[in-house]
Amino acid sequence: MWLICDPVLVNGVACKNPGSVKASDFHFRGLHMMANTTNPLGSGVTPVTVTQLPGLNTFGISMARIDYAPWGINPPHTHPRATEILVVLEGSLEVGFVTSNIENRHISKVLHKGDVFVFPVNLIHYQKNAGKTNAVAIVALSSQNPGVIPVANAVFGSNPDISNDVLAKAFQTSDDVISNIRFKF
Amino acid sequence: MWLICDPVLVNGVACKNPGSVKASDFHFRGLHMMANTTNPLGSGVTPVTVTQLPGLNTFGISMARIDYAPWGINPPHTHPRATEILVVLEGSLEVGFVTSNIENRHISKVLHKGDVFVFPVNLIHYQKNAGKTNAVAIVALSSQNPGVIPVANAVFGSNPDISNDVLAKAFQTSDDVISNIRFKF
Amino acid sequence: MWLICDPVLVNGVACKNPGSVKASDFHFRGLHMMANTTNPLGSGVTPVTVTQLPGLNTFGISMARIDYAPWGINPPHTHPRATEILVVLEGSLEVGFVTSNIENRHISKVLHKGDVFVFPVNLIHYQKNAGKTNAVAIVALSSQNPGVIPVANAVFGSNPDISNDVLAKAFQTSDDVISNIRFKF
Amino acid sequence: MWLICDPVLVNGVACKNPGSVKASDFHFRGLHMMANTTNPLGSGVTPVTVTQLPGLNTFGISMARIDYAPWGINPPHTHPRATEILVVLEGSLEVGFVTSNIENRHISKVLHKGDVFVFPVNLIHYQKNAGKTNAVAIVALSSQNPGVIPVANAVFGSNPDISNDVLAKAFQTSDDVISNIRFKF
Amino acid sequence: MWLICDPVLVNGVACKNPGSVKASDFHFRGLHMMANTTNPLGSGVTPVTVTQLPGLNTFGISMARIDYAPWGINPPHTHPRATEILVVLEGSLEVGFVTSNIENRHISKVLHKGDVFVFPVNLIHYQKNAGKTNAVAIVALSSQNPGVIPVANAVFGSNPDISNDVLAKAFQTSDDVISNIRFKF
Amino acid sequence: MWLICDPVLVNGVACKNPGSVKASDFHFRGLHMMANTTNPLGSGVTPVTVTQLPGLNTFGISMARIDYAPWGINPPHTHPRATEILVVLEGSLEVGFVTSNIENRHISKVLHKGDVFVFPVNLIHYQKNAGKTNAVAIVALSSQNPGVIPVANAVFGSNPDISNDVLAKAFQTSDDVISNIRFKF
């Protein structure tokens, strides 16, 4: 609010003179609408970060709605700049995260309507719809620009490829398995 | 997660050895339940901060559900340590905040289901149920311990009182008016 | 000092090439002069923040002189980005702040020449000249741009108004009382 | 240095009275010695973090030596709390990192003796010995406690397992492939 | 204020339950009194940091009064954790600081009553009474625990000594000159 | 990586769109080469900071190689924005730092190949080649722009001079000694 820097960018986003901000700068519409979940993962995310709501810039918070088709997943990923807190609005979710090396403990829980869960900053985490009906969650993240690194996409779907021998050694499998997995991305 | 300090406190809250955290440390139950709104303000808050969910400690985020009876208000207040982002789940809300001196601009908006709004850190803000039905919002705050300072309570309901002459001069009114307002707190 | 960004703004203020800074960039003149206190509050503030002294930018500190006519007050206000430390140069002051909800404890003290007092970040605080002579204080704040939110102005003097029914409910009083107070702002 | 908190822990590590620190508190011995690289990955890390050198606590920096057997790899991993800067002392390395979603760009380079490379905080990165001789690197990290999350171990080697159906969907492969990969961890 | 950690230490200082703080926790008495300046430097400092006023802990600010006998100096020093802002209450001061390598620019100014000057964090700076009468300044620092490193004492008066050959080379002078200077410390 | 601000500067350095970064933005060549040490100090530094490697911007880390001729020194200096961690690659070094006032403790150690040592942020420190052969160290610093203040240059070699009487009083010596030392700078 106290940034007087238009037309200069802060964190890559234009900021406005506090004397000229309008209510619409702090407003986003549409989080009541279900996202499209007809994809291989069976989930869809509607983000409300600084990209969608520029007034969030410098405020260290953002929000998103996640929709899950029956048995859909939000696959293992990290947010490089945010802890996440999630509340279940509809349905049931199996959620989990993995602690850092060398323990790699898998902390997981089945959540129901009204349940809240926390995914600590930078840890790999996921959610899975644990039921036959759609599920809906609202999440908040401790950055206006949390970022997302889906592990499978980053490792097997990067552009250009990470070479097969690196991945074969890392995953302790054969070049063929790596090539097969990569083929889908 | 990486705090190994039990039984010592960090930020006044016990932290745990990452080797012994359990899923329940990151879990809170009950945000699907309506809070009691039969009070003079016509609103009720169910907080999920580090007090209710110790696993939030050091993570810079928290959540709350706010229920509003018809025409109920969440009165003008500040959060000394957090920006707030709000999404309307049910009903309609009139919301607003006031920018700092010397402009004291009142930025306000009527929100409907699915609308998101941002209240910048430390600015005085409020919400009011703008309709005849109950309203529900989920908010997230950029601190695990955001704090709340309801302006009316801090100024007129402090313990002990701020002296009448200070308030009469500040509000440019008479001692009698100050005494009358204070009487309710 | 190490910002090489002219003519770009940082925090909304021009910063300079360290190779071209001059002593005048770090210098402000006039804190020995009494401010005008012939106003309804009986006080006047001479700020030395990044607005008056651009060389303060990014340094996290600022200063001000406050003058108080006999019985004058610096009314209840918050600084959204700073803790304040005050030293009394002349006269006596009654000072206080209120802790956050739900305690709303009023911590106060009468100060004399040479006394120092601390107002924690974001808490509502005030000073009142407790004597028949002028009083003078020097304060320092933990931000180059501390901001100020005078509670009465923000709530009753915002532009446009916060609606009467919100304030009447918040202050648990009638529309008439709210209108009367607002009239002065 | 200015922490006077023994026997209390800060960040989970005992800190000392600055009046009683000794040179040995700031000293670590042995970074000239090659680590064991006879393992499936063909690499070995000798860390100098707050665990090995408690005097680093609160200082935001650490160091490590990495040894690589011919064709050995340091597999794709993230540091949840640090950027990394690497200098090649001996041999040649192929190094790379992947930018965040949705671009997932793979930025890579072949490095020789004396080359320096930067791996931005939280991005998945790796190194591979690109030659027939041993390679040696010194790295520094922007945290005294950077942490490490090896992607393959966290996803396929967590304890307990992440369920097969989550991983099969995330990696768009079959349960059998997942089970086979997991078997090695 | 919101630290609930007694009897644990934060930053090496006991913190208190906000429910039990008293006004005296935020109060210091005596900054109207002149410090003793009958010493070789002809100056005296009365600090109000977290050591004298524990309520400053975590607040990022402190204050001090400096008295100068005629021609007295506050010798070249750094504050490892704070920028300093100074206001002259009585007399005249010649003040200066030196920018970092490789320019080593000396920025200086003669100040009179009411003048304010800023010394950027960590730069070597000094003040000298430029007149025949006592001078008085109030300074504020952007840390509750700013620290002070007087260059001459650290280099020539350390315990034990830095060896003569290091200092002779650094100051490009002879062992004898170094020994003579050291003798006074 | 997530700064989208070209052609605007952040911290005085151009930043790039993450969509257009190239491997060369994160790459520096030449740390295997010995610096010139034929100077009065007998040492030479090859820095890899944001000046040499712009991709370091905002990452809070940098690196340098230091070469020492036999008996050469890296003279007493501070880094105003960084802690330093050093590893000896070749030879032996005597290293030390001095704690802040009023103790001014000199913490020192003789280091050999493979030894690591830490110099806490802002404290005056030095290294000296303790042997008859060249010595080499790699250091990392906890800032992309650590800065350096060589004490002797800042105090005796500033431009313009700090006046002789200030330095004579500070070092408790005569004007002549000050003039003689200053003559070399």
Side-chain angles (χ1 to χ4, degrees), chain B residues 36-81:
Chain B
N36 185 353
T37 61
T38 55
N39 52 52
L41 298 170
S43 70
V45 177
T46 308
V48 189
T49 72
V50 72
T51 305
Q52 292 80 29
L53 182 46
L56 282 173
N57 202 19
T58 78
F59 285 145
I61 200 159
S62 57
M63 204 176 241
R65 171 184 170 133
I66 313 179
D67 288 282
Y68 311 82
W71 318 114
I73 68 163
N74 188 6
H77 63 284
T78 67
H79 299 294
R81 294 180 288 285

Side-chain angles (χ1 to χ4, degrees), chain B residues 71 73 80 98 101 104-106 122 128 148 151-152 154 156 158-161 165-166 169-172 184-185, chain C residues 71 73 80 98 101 104-106 122 128 148 150-152 154 156 158-161 165-166 169-172 184-185:
Chain B
W71 318 114
I73 68 163
V98 181
N101 221 32
N104 296 304
R105 295 180 62 219
H106 176 208
N122 288 311
K128 174 189 156 188
V148 59
V151 168
F156 292 99
S158 71
N159 178 13
D161 286 348
D165 61 334
V166 169
K169 239 179 201 164
F171 289 88
Q172 298 181 36
K184 302 293 180 49
F185 286 91
Chain C
W71 318 113
I73 68 163
V98 181
N101 220 33
N104 297 302
R105 295 179 64 219
H106 176 207
N122 289 310
K128 173 188 157 190
V148 58
V151 168
F156 292 100
S158 71
N159 176 15
D161 287 347
D165 61 333
V166 169
K169 239 178 201 165
F171 289 87
Q172 298 181 36
K184 302 294 180 52
F185 285 91

Side-chain angles (χ1 to χ4, degrees), chain B residues 90-163:
Chain B
E90 299 295 338
S92 294
L93 294 176
E94 176 194 322
V95 303
F97 64 83
V98 181
T99 67
S100 61
N101 221 32
I102 56 171
E103 295 195 325
N104 296 304
R105 295 180 62 219
H106 176 208
I107 308 287
S108 66
K109 189 92 182 170
V110 175
L111 306 180
H112 304 288
K113 189 172 177 170
D115 282 5
V116 173
F117 201 79
V118 182
F119 304 102
V121 59
N122 288 311
L123 297 188
I124 295 177
H125 62 286
Y126 69 94
Q127 301 108 35
K128 174 189 156 188
N129 187 343
K132 300 180 206 174
T133 58
N134 286 334
V136 183
I138 293 286
V139 301
L141 299 121
S142 62
S143 167
Q144 71 270 10
N145 182 16
V148 59
I149 300 178
V151 168
N153 298 56
V155 173
F156 292 99
S158 71
N159 178 13
D161 286 348
I162 299 177
S163 66

Side-chain angles (χ1 to χ4, degrees), chain C residues 109-180:
Chain C
K109 190 90 184 171
V110 175
L111 306 180
H112 304 290
K113 189 172 178 170
D115 281 6
V116 173
F117 201 79
V118 182
F119 304 101
V121 59
N122 289 310
L123 297 188
I124 295 176
H125 62 286
Y126 69 92
Q127 300 107 34
K128 173 188 157 190
N129 187 342
K132 299 179 207 173
T133 59
N134 287 333
V136 183
I138 293 285
V139 301
L141 299 122
S142 63
S143 167
Q144 71 271 8
N145 182 17
V148 58
I149 300 178
V151 168
N153 297 57
V155 173
F156 292 100
S158 71
N159 176 15
D161 287 347
I162 299 176
S163 66
N164 269 23
D165 61 333
V166 169
L167 296 186
K169 239 178 201 165
F171 289 87
Q172 298 181 36
T173 185
S174 67
D175 261 33
D176 282 2
V177 170
I178 297 298
S179 293
N180 280 339

